[in-house]
Amino acid sequence: MPDSTSILIEPRTHDIGALSVRRLLPHLLRRSVGPFVFFDHIGPADLAAGTGIDVRPHPHIGLATVTYLFDGALTHHDSLGFDQVIRPGDVNWMTAGRGIVHSERTPPAERASGHSIHGIQTWIALPQEHEETAPAFHHHAAATLPEFVIGDVRLRLIAGRAFDHESPVGVFSDMCYLAAEFGAGAQLVLPTEYAERGVHVARGEVTVDGQVVTTGQMLVLPSGSNVTISVQRPAIVVLFGGAAIDGPRHLWWNFVSSSRERIELAKRDWSEGNFAAVPGETEFIPLPEK
């Protein structure tokens, strides 16, 4: 049955070492929006010289991770041998499939000088027929992504299709994922192209059909009707959604699967060292006790 009311989600704060992140999905009020099963808002934060983000090697299965930055830089290093710095406007899409390991760290130059970091990391649940696909990694520079203007709103299409544009980022299901910069007084009508849609405010304050949404909050929209997003002052907004996922997903730590048994196997494989290692890295995040 289509959702007839909006759901306002307040973020929960999680510490990842050098800074805290706001986690919005999964949430008790909403487990997923389209194929998006995990949504973290990183920063904004200023990191002092000599400090940085150090997410040690850890495994994933059954999902694709998508990293997008508004400010700063991160180095992705994975068990396939990819070593890639991502900067604002770029997209790092990592398909975990049957299993991959990666780390995320502040690059040496930014660590030495100190820098700001602000971005979004999401997990996309792979359709059941692709959950065990081969792992892969693709980097897409900002200049390769569609960027267009509607009124006083500048949009970059991170992945999927929206507003008659299509991103070159390869996806596994029908979806949209956009970063939108609203100028003062701007309005944007978000159409009903997708059954499930969400609006996240990365900076500023917006009004969605009369409902105020502020920095860090997410509004899951009702299906079946256009909505109007408006601002008084400049704002940065993330628009996302897609078709509903093809059945329930189980999430445990960094694992996503339609099968509880598959997650148990991944837990054993990580504990027993059966995942491929990240070349040149000896650290790793142990399997949580709970």
Side-chain angles (χ1 to χ4, degrees), residues 101-132:
V101 179
H102 76 137
S103 65
E104 295 168 291
R105 302 181 188 272
T106 300
E110 283 79 6
R111 187 185 299 269
S113 63
H115 80 303
S116 299
I117 187 80
H118 187 202
I120 304 291
Q121 187 166 81
T122 57
W123 295 356
I124 310 297
L126 298 178
Q128 292 184 34
E129 63 178 318
H130 295 296
E131 284 185 305
E132 295 299 315

Side-chain angles (χ1 to χ4, degrees), residues 12-286:
R12 295 153 292 146
T13 301
H14 286 255
D15 188 354
I16 62 169
L19 76 165
S20 296
V21 301
R22 300 181 178 101
R23 183 154 301 162
L24 294 120
L25 293 177
H27 194 277
L28 289 175
L29 297 177
R30 187 73 182 229
R31 301 296 298 173
S32 60
V33 177
F36 293 79
V37 295
F38 179 95
F39 194 112
D40 263 5
H41 182 173
I42 305 165
D46 294 320
L47 304 179
T51 64
I53 295 172
D54 283 295
V55 180
R56 294 167 293 160
H58 58 281
H60 290 286
I61 65 163
L63 56 85
T65 68
V66 188
T67 303
Y68 183 84
L69 298 180
F70 303 109
D71 193 15
L74 277 175
T75 298
H76 161 97
H77 193 193
D78 66 39
S79 52
L80 298 177
F82 289 97
D83 192 348
Q84 176 67 57
V85 176
I86 182 174
R87 300 190 183 279
D90 298 345
V91 170
N92 274 3
W93 178 290
M94 184 185 77
T95 301
R98 59 178 175 258
I100 197 169
V101 179
H102 76 137
S103 65
E104 295 168 291
R105 302 181 188 272
T106 300
E110 283 79 6
R111 187 185 299 269
S113 63
H115 80 303
S116 299
I117 187 80
H118 187 202
I120 304 291
Q121 187 166 81
T122 57
W123 295 356
I124 310 297
L126 298 178
Q128 292 184 34
E129 63 178 318
H130 295 296
E131 284 185 305
E132 295 299 315
T133 194
F137 175 80
H138 297 281
H139 173 80
H140 298 266
T144 67
L145 302 175
E147 191 172 26
F148 51 97
V149 175
I150 300 177
D152 292 319
V153 184
R154 180 174 296 277
L155 300 108
R156 174 174 283 121
L157 185 54
I158 298 168
R161 297 180 300 105
F163 298 105
D164 296 322
H165 294 269
E166 185 170 357
S167 170
V169 176
V171 298
F172 289 84
S173 57
D174 203 15
M175 60 175 285
C176 69
Y177 187 14
L178 302 115
E181 297 182 11
F182 282 70
Q187 286 191 344
L188 179 71
V189 176
L190 192 61
T192 60
E193 183 175 2
Y194 294 100
E196 299 184 359
R197 300 165 296 167
V199 175
H200 171 66
V201 181
R203 180 177 294 151
E205 179 179 288
V206 308
T207 301
V208 183
D209 279 359
Q211 183 164 0
V212 175
V213 188
T214 62
T215 299
Q217 293 180 326
M218 175 184 291
L219 189 67
V220 181
L221 304 175
S223 58
S225 61
N226 292 348
V227 298
T228 300
I229 304 169
S230 58
V231 306
Q232 293 184 345
R233 291 175 290 278
I236 298 175
V237 181
V238 176
L239 311 172
F240 64 101
I245 54 178
D246 57 347
R249 290 300 188 274
H250 306 289
L251 278 72
W252 191 92
W253 192 38
N254 301 310
F255 305 137
V256 174
S257 179
S258 59
S259 164
R260 291 188 187 276
E261 292 75 18
R262 181 65 181 90
I263 288 180
E264 291 302 314
L265 176 60
K267 290 162 67 173
R268 290 196 298 273
D269 282 342
W270 184 244
S271 294
E272 296 171 3
N274 295 331
F275 278 84
V278 176
E281 297 207 33
T282 57
E283 292 183 304
F284 64 93
I285 301 177

